[in-house]
Amino acid sequence: MLKTVKTTPYTDQKMGTAGLRKKSKIATQENYIENFVQSVFDAIGGVKGQTFILGGDGRYFNKVAIQKIMKMSAANGMKKMIVGQNGFISTPTSSRVLLDNKADGGFVLTASHNPGGINGDFGIKYAVASGGQCPTAVSDKIYENTKKISEYKILEADDVDLSKIGTQKLGDMEIEIIDPVQIYADMMSSMFDFAAIRKLFAGGFTFVFDAMNAVTGPYARKIFVEMLGASPDSVVNDVPLEDFGGLHPDPNLIYAKKLVERMYSDDAPDMGSANDGDGDRNMILGKKFFVTPSDSLAIITDNYKYIPAYKNGIYGVAKSAATSTAVGRVAKALGIGYYEVPTGWKYFCNLMDSNRITFCGEESFGTGSSHIREKDGIWAILFWLNIIAATGKSVEQITREHWQKYGRSYYMRNDYDGIDTEVANKLMSDLEARMPSLAGKQFGSFTVKEAKPFIYNDPVDGSSTKNGLIVYFTDNSRIVYRLSGTGTNGATLRIYLERYETKLLDEDVEKMLEELADVSRAIAEVTERTGKAKADLLT
Ligand code: VG1
Ligand code: CO
């Protein structure tokens, strides 16, 4: 039975860098998800006759929210919903399925790299027909709707059993349950040289992948173990859990602690890797060796010809402004286009749609290509395995040779967490106001060349976005300041530090950036304003 339910607005449903992200306790409030989903439907003129993709990373509230969304979609006249088996789908797979089916939109229920569980976070990423997350113009409209919503439509029906592949009906709507793992695995085997990687593993190459108890465990088991012959124990934490087993599914040196310890021990495997909650982020490690995501993007670009899917050539490359400039040097050497965009994968999508770029990446452990419109964690790991299989070189060797060829960007992100939102906003606006006066000023051994906000003018749709403030120094070092758009606890100030060296290639990163970190605090008056003498998190 179709029901129209009266509701009252929530005022905090503004999407951030990647969808709506909230504490689980907030997201599970009465009608909270319903309000948001109906506001999406209303913002796009309804979903009558449309097809959507639906799934999630398996975190707490996934199961409940999926049932609600299916019933609301049916009540709003949607024609078909394609749902991941048991309600699971990774973000990259969702983008693939959306494109393959020429669907009108999709929801991935995830807060990505944020912790899960009742005390963690929940979220919804909303993608449009292009396969990528909705542009700001659409999210603004949705936000306006959430502030005035008064009712939503839902079907009163039994819960849908999502365990079996196939089609069924929910009211007049068709539900197709798909096997996302198989679809994703097929895509990967069509892109990479699986025979060569199989040979690599058969030859004794040792490997570990940490799924962090999140969505990619089954994908990794299928691809690395079943299809490529890696040893069964090389895939760890591969059963998706509602609270990720207490892990913080953010693949970096801090939160993937166990993996990092193993990779820095004497019996470390040849390569280590991990993904985040929804499978779009990746981390690459060699034996006692860490590859920064910025370097990974540069190395992937420089080695594209080893990969069957790209061997005939690539378009340009793009990175977020906060990401190091390493890939820019490769683009220059290859003579391909090079773009800098704001933080958030959605800004890459127009560049991919218009064949301006093939690869793109962010410093936040995100790398990907135009095979989909999201970043792709397992794709990046397979890319590295394919390079290793083709060259016979180790992760460390590949990276060191890259530095020798192009120089090295020492790079680090410093996060200052849990700052009062007003304090953080004022720090940024005051810094922006001071920026014109910084040029020529000396801070320790660094002299400011130029300081300005980062403004991106999209060459495809003409939109303009301001995201972050950048200080450029005369020695090619850079500091980027921005506030996080994915946090759920006050404001997080992110300060990105980069120092470029062509001779000192083997130094300690923290040491190399120690003075620049001090300078970054001095320029923005971080300690005076936040009381923090040091960053809370270094990645
Ligand atoms: C962070 C990262 C950004 C990434 C975003 C979503 O955003 O810095 O690079 O695109 O998370 O990642 P912010 O605004 O907190 O800095 V995820 O893996 O959604 O999906
Ligand atoms: Co993610």
Side-chain angles (χ1 to χ4, degrees):
M1 201 183 72
L2 196 134
K3 236 175 57 175
T4 301
V5 181
K6 295 266 169 254
T7 185
T8 48
Y10 288 95
T11 54
D12 63 347
Q13 298 195 316
K14 192 173 165 60
M15 288 192 239
T17 313
L20 183 72
R21 226 165 266 196
K22 294 288 161 192
K23 292 255 164 259
S24 298
K25 285 193 175 134
I26 291 188
T28 52
Q29 294 173 98
E30 194 182 1
N31 295 339
Y32 195 88
I33 293 303
E34 289 90 333
N35 278 12
F36 180 74
V37 170
Q38 187 67 52
S39 298
V40 171
F41 291 167
D42 294 346
I44 57 175
V47 291
K48 217 172 171 53
Q50 296 198 350
T51 298
F52 263 59
I53 316 300
L54 178 65
D57 65 7
R59 69 179 62 223
Y60 174 80
F61 200 52
N62 199 352
K63 277 192 197 139
V64 180
I66 279 196
Q67 296 290 342
K68 287 179 193 280
I69 295 172
M70 286 187 295
K71 291 172 190 174
M72 285 184 69
S73 302
N76 277 275
M78 195 179 283
K79 184 167 154 244
K80 183 174 176 183
M81 196 144 226
I82 303 175
V83 188
Q85 190 175 16
N86 296 317
F88 288 99
I89 202 163
S90 72
T91 291
T93 310
S94 170
S95 183
R96 176 75 267 146
V97 176
L98 206 162
L99 291 169
D100 283 348
N101 288 277
K102 299 193 171 52
D104 301 285
F107 294 114
V108 181
L109 309 184
T110 178
S112 190
H113 55 287
N114 296 17
I118 176 72
N119 295 314
D121 293 350
F122 186 76
I124 304 186
K125 290 182 175 179
Y126 163 56
V128 291
S130 68
Q133 287 172 51
C134 75
T136 320
V138 180
S139 53
D140 286 348
K141 228 168 153 185
I142 295 168
Y143 181 47
E144 286 313 310
N145 286 349
T146 63
K147 289 189 287 190
K148 53 177 198 236
I149 187 165
S150 60
E151 58 182 42
Y152 64 85
K153 293 198 185 74
I154 192 159
L155 201 69
E156 265 194 338
D158 288 342
D159 278 0
V160 180
D161 176 3
L162 297 174
S163 64
K164 282 185 212 70
I165 311 286
T167 54
Q168 52 184 298
K169 282 266 178 186
L170 175 63
D172 290 333
M173 185 177 81
E174 180 184 338
I175 290 190
E176 183 187 352
I177 299 171
I178 52 154
D179 177 356
V181 173
Q182 187 63 50
I183 292 167
Y184 182 81
D186 288 346
M187 168 168 66
M188 291 298 110
S189 64
S190 75
M191 298 178 72
F192 294 101
D193 189 348
F194 269 35
I197 302 173
R198 257 196 306 272
K199 231 170 133 184
L200 178 75
F201 284 129
F205 183 84
T206 51
F207 171 76
V208 61
F209 172 86
D210 191 338
M212 304 191 83
N213 298 322
V215 78
T216 51
Y219 295 73
R221 187 149 293 285
K222 169 108 195 165
I223 294 171
F224 298 126
V225 178
E226 287 173 33
M227 297 171 81
L228 294 170
S231 90
D233 60 6
S234 61
V235 174
V236 301
N237 294 324
D238 66 330
V239 178
L241 301 173
E242 285 204 331
D243 65 349
F244 307 124
L247 291 183
H248 186 156
D250 193 352
N252 60 37
L253 293 175
I254 310 294
Y255 295 127
K257 195 162 170 268
K258 275 240 167 74
L259 172 71
V260 172
E261 273 169 16
R262 183 158 165 209
M263 291 309 298
Y264 279 81
S265 73
D266 286 339
D267 54 357
D270 295 312
M271 178 172 159
S273 59
N275 272 186
D276 74 333
D278 60 330
D280 56 357
R281 295 185 178 206
N282 75 92
M283 175 163 67
I284 305 289
L285 296 150
K287 270 182 196 291
K288 303 191 181 183
F289 194 82
F290 166 64
V291 185
T292 68
S294 299
D295 278 345
S296 179
L297 174 63
I299 289 166
I300 276 175
T301 304
D302 205 29
N303 289 283
Y304 74 86
K305 55 181 176 311
Y306 293 120
I307 313 300
Y310 308 107
K311 67 172 190 301
N312 294 328
I314 53 171
Y315 300 116
V317 286
K319 69 167 192 76
S320 65
T323 302
S324 99
T325 52
V327 73
R329 295 187 284 273
V330 177
K332 199 166 167 206
L334 296 177
I336 58 174
Y338 171 56
Y339 300 84
E340 255 191 322
V341 306
T343 292
W345 208 261
K346 56 185 175 241
Y347 297 104
F348 295 126
C349 293
N350 280 340
L351 299 174
M352 293 193 257
D353 289 344
S354 60
N355 288 343
R356 283 175 166 81
I357 61 164
T358 299
F359 298 139
C360 42
E362 296 187 290
E363 54 67 43
S364 56
F365 296 78
T367 334
S369 92
S370 53
H371 64 293
I372 51 170
R373 294 295 178 273
E374 295 278 3
K375 53 192 183 264
D376 192 340
I378 290 183
W379 172 90
I381 295 161
L382 285 168
F383 207 121
W384 271 88
L385 285 167
N386 201 150
I387 299 174
I388 293 165
T391 61
K393 293 174 184 169
S394 70
V395 171
E396 176 168 356
Q397 203 180 351
I398 291 165
T399 310
R400 288 199 184 280
E401 286 179 10
H402 183 85
W403 293 337
Q404 259 144 28
K405 191 165 158 195
Y406 291 104
R408 178 175 180 188
S409 278
Y410 287 90
Y411 181 87
M412 206 159 65
R413 183 175 99 189
N414 291 358
D415 285 347
Y416 298 80
D417 290 332
I419 305 175
D420 180 83
T421 307
E422 253 172 58
V423 170
N425 286 337
K426 185 140 180 7
L427 181 150
M428 290 297 283
S429 58
D430 287 353
L431 175 58
E432 184 171 348
R434 279 200 310 278
M435 290 204 116
S437 69
L438 290 176
K441 278 209 177 122
Q442 181 98 21
F443 292 88
S445 56
F446 294 89
T447 308
V448 177
K449 188 160 78 184
E450 195 187 7
K452 58 180 185 191
F454 175 72
I455 294 167
Y456 178 62
N457 296 311
D458 188 306
V460 178
D461 66 17
S463 63
S464 186
T465 307
K466 187 166 87 175
N467 190 278
L469 307 170
I470 311 188
V471 182
Y472 300 90
F473 297 92
T474 50
D475 71 340
N476 286 326
S477 296
R478 303 188 317 153
I479 301 175
V480 181
Y481 298 88
R482 56 179 290 282
L483 298 181
S484 159
T486 60
T488 56
N489 183 22
T492 294
L493 170 66
R494 303 208 197 279
I495 303 185
Y496 309 82
L497 309 171
E498 176 177 1
R499 178 174 161 191
Y500 178 55
E501 287 288 339
T502 51
K503 293 194 184 67
L504 295 172
L505 300 179
D506 194 22
E507 304 301 312
D508 180 75
V509 182
E510 259 182 69
K511 244 199 200 125
M512 286 297 275
L513 294 174
E514 199 175 4
E515 191 190 348
L516 200 57
D518 290 340
V519 170
S520 75
R521 281 184 287 267
I523 289 181
E525 301 169 352
V526 174
T527 306
E528 296 89 315
R529 288 165 184 261
T530 69
K532 290 174 187 279
K534 272 200 330 238
D536 298 290
L537 188 72
L538 310 178
T539 56

